Amino acid sequence: MATTSQPPLRFTTHHNLVYRLVLSTLTGRTVHISQIRSSSPTNPGLAPHEISFLRLLEAVTNGSEMEISYTGTILVYKPGLITGSATGVGASGGVIHHELPSNCSRGLSYFLIPLCLLAPFSKSPLKVLFTGPGVITSATPTGDMSVDSVRTAILPLYNQFGMFNNVELRILKRSNPGPNGRGGGGEVQFTFGHQIRLPKTLHLMNAGRIKRVRGVAYSVGVSGSNNARMIESARGILNPLSPDTYIFSDVASAPLVPAPDKSNPNAKKKIGLGFGLSLVAESSTGCLYSADVASPPSGGEAPEDIGRKCAFQLLETISKGGCVPPAAVTTMLTLMTMGSEDVGRLQVGREVIADPNTIQLARDLAKFGAPGWGIRDATGENENGDVIVSVVGRGIGNIGRKVA
């Protein structure tokens, strides 16, 4: 590749590591990331979930090279071509089987949201089956959203960019975080079969009004009455504001993971017990706002508290304004940057654009050669102090797919 002759882009610390690797893969630029938890006396270097994401990148690309220092505090990543699941490492029958280790403390959305950014630009359809003792499908204490919210609040956003065929996310086994917030034992199948040449230019500047609220209450290995209690408390807050509120109930058995000992090498144990609630509000213009709360791994929180907390979190997300919530702003702005060489516009709340992660994304995009954002105050009757972010597309698109 011609891009290999360019000097690597240099970054420091583990913050925003995943999205820097995604941007590196999309643009073909080599990155050098140093000082990864170098000051940590107990766990320096890359964490287990970050190493697992690197293995996932290796599986969905062809020709990627990774160099990790002995202490794990320095990473050099040379991206390859995004090939999908046809020839990926660990692919069987066109499906990549990716196993997460038991010491993984991040929810599956940590892997899914970046993978969704890569999938439209792959050479062939992307099919990944996430298994292993480290798969957590619920929301986590580290701030990851649940797989339900990825399915109902993140994937529909790709319709705005012209990607809507053969996109599916199925939860085969549910799981909450295990002891100390690590491991889960869930199983999730992800399929993204709509590859395009370039994402469409987006103009989304009318948030509209909330017309319906949907949600999923889930219980894993505990009584299904917890779902009814969460739904009742959440509806008590949301019904006066939105009568069209419907929350599904899903009761699942706890997953089993291997736990061998001397007396029984084939022993298994239950893991991932708990319950949680995922809520998504949809506006009249198709904007989506999500909220996620799950029971803590240590327990001790009533289902009524979880339901109320999730409902208030949803209202807080809506109150921040704009057409996109904080959880989806990275996806939207990255796809706008990768699109055709035209100016796309997106209305965003002031709190969302001022979030440190959003600011860091703008800096990283500028370092990868993307033009800066234009920001101006929104005008009109529904602006509520929002801003309009203008993004010029780079026209990078899908180099493996020549026909749209």
Side-chain angles (χ1 to χ4, degrees):
M1 293 176 62
T3 53
T4 55
S5 60
Q6 294 178 299
L9 298 174
R10 295 186 175 271
F11 298 95
T12 57
T13 77
H14 64 281
H15 297 296
N16 232 32
L17 174 76
V18 166
Y19 290 106
R20 286 168 176 169
L21 294 174
V22 168
L23 292 174
S24 169
T25 308
L26 291 173
T27 59
R29 290 295 303 271
T30 302
V31 291
H32 178 283
I33 304 174
S34 58
Q35 299 177 29
I36 303 173
R37 297 186 184 86
S38 55
S39 59
S40 173
T42 54
N43 297 304
L46 293 166
H49 54 268
E50 292 165 344
I51 294 173
S52 190
F53 183 78
L54 285 171
R55 288 177 177 151
L56 181 62
L57 268 183
E58 186 182 17
V60 300
T61 60
N62 186 16
S64 297
E65 297 179 18
M66 304 168 193
E67 299 175 14
I68 304 174
S69 67
Y70 182 75
T71 56
T73 56
I74 299 175
L75 167 67
V76 178
Y77 173 65
K78 298 178 183 178
L81 183 69
I82 310 171
T83 56
S85 56
T87 58
V89 177
S92 175
V95 179
I96 296 173
H97 293 262
H98 188 68
E99 187 169 325
L100 299 184
S102 59
N103 55 356
C104 180
S105 60
R106 301 299 298 261
L108 195 59
S109 60
Y110 175 87
F111 303 90
L112 282 173
I113 296 176
L115 191 62
C116 290
L117 284 172
L118 295 173
F121 306 100
S122 67
K123 192 172 183 180
S124 61
L126 189 64
K127 299 176 183 177
V128 183
L129 180 65
F130 291 93
T131 58
V135 178
I136 303 171
T137 64
S138 71
T140 64
T142 51
D144 298 311
M145 67 196 311
S146 68
V147 177
D148 294 283
S149 291
V150 175
R151 178 174 53 83
T152 55
I154 300 294
L155 287 182
L157 298 176
Y158 285 78
N159 295 347
Q160 312 261 15
F161 297 93
M163 294 168 266
F164 43 82
N165 292 332
N166 197 17
V167 179
E168 187 182 16
L169 185 58
R170 296 177 58 200
I171 303 174
L172 306 179
K173 288 182 186 175
R174 288 190 176 274
S175 175
N176 279 49
N180 301 317
R182 296 186 174 188
E187 190 172 327
V188 173
Q189 183 178 359
F190 172 65
T191 303
F192 202 113
H194 195 150
Q195 279 64 48
I196 58 169
R197 181 70 186 95
L198 283 170
K200 290 182 178 178
T201 303
L202 180 68
H203 299 281
L204 189 58
M205 294 179 291
N206 183 9
R209 294 184 176 275
I210 301 301
K211 65 176 182 179
R212 68 166 68 99
V213 177
R214 294 292 182 265
V216 177
Y218 50 87
S219 294
V220 183
V222 295
S223 171
S225 63
N226 292 312
N227 285 357
R229 293 163 65 184
M230 285 187 292
I231 292 171
E232 185 180 3
S233 60
R235 287 179 65 98
I237 295 168
L238 296 174
N239 271 9
L241 305 172
S242 174
D244 187 4
T245 300
Y246 190 89
I247 304 174
F248 299 88
S249 175
D250 189 357
V251 181
S253 56
L256 296 171
V257 296
D261 54 31
K262 291 182 179 179
S263 59
N264 187 2
N266 296 321
K268 293 185 177 182
K269 65 175 181 179
K270 289 184 178 180
I271 194 174
L273 305 178
F275 49 86
L277 181 62
S278 163
L279 293 174
V280 175
E282 184 183 350
S283 76
S284 55
T285 56
C287 300
L288 300 170
Y289 307 88
S290 63
D292 261 302
V293 180
S295 59
S298 56
E301 197 156 352
E304 289 83 0
D305 295 337
I306 298 290
R308 280 192 295 268
K309 192 182 293 185
C310 192
F312 284 130
Q313 190 184 107
L314 180 67
L315 297 178
E316 183 183 4
T317 302
I318 297 170
S319 70
K320 291 181 179 180
C323 298
V324 58
V329 70
T330 301
T331 298
M332 299 288 276
L333 291 171
T334 303
L335 286 173
M336 291 170 72
T337 303
M338 296 298 123
S340 57
E341 297 180 18
D342 195 0
V343 179
R345 291 172 294 174
L346 180 66
Q347 184 167 320
V348 180
R350 287 186 182 273
E351 285 187 50
V352 178
I353 198 69
D355 185 87
N357 292 327
T358 310
I359 295 171
Q360 188 60 54
L361 175 67
R363 291 172 176 163
D364 289 347
L365 284 170
K367 202 158 185 179
F368 277 97
W373 298 341
I375 300 177
R376 61 179 173 85
D377 289 331
T379 56
E381 58 182 31
N382 295 323
E383 89 282 357
N384 297 325
D386 294 344
V387 297
I388 300 292
V389 181
S390 301
V391 181
V392 180
R394 285 199 60 193
I396 294 176
N398 191 341
I399 60 174
R401 185 180 178 86
K402 299 303 182 186
V403 180

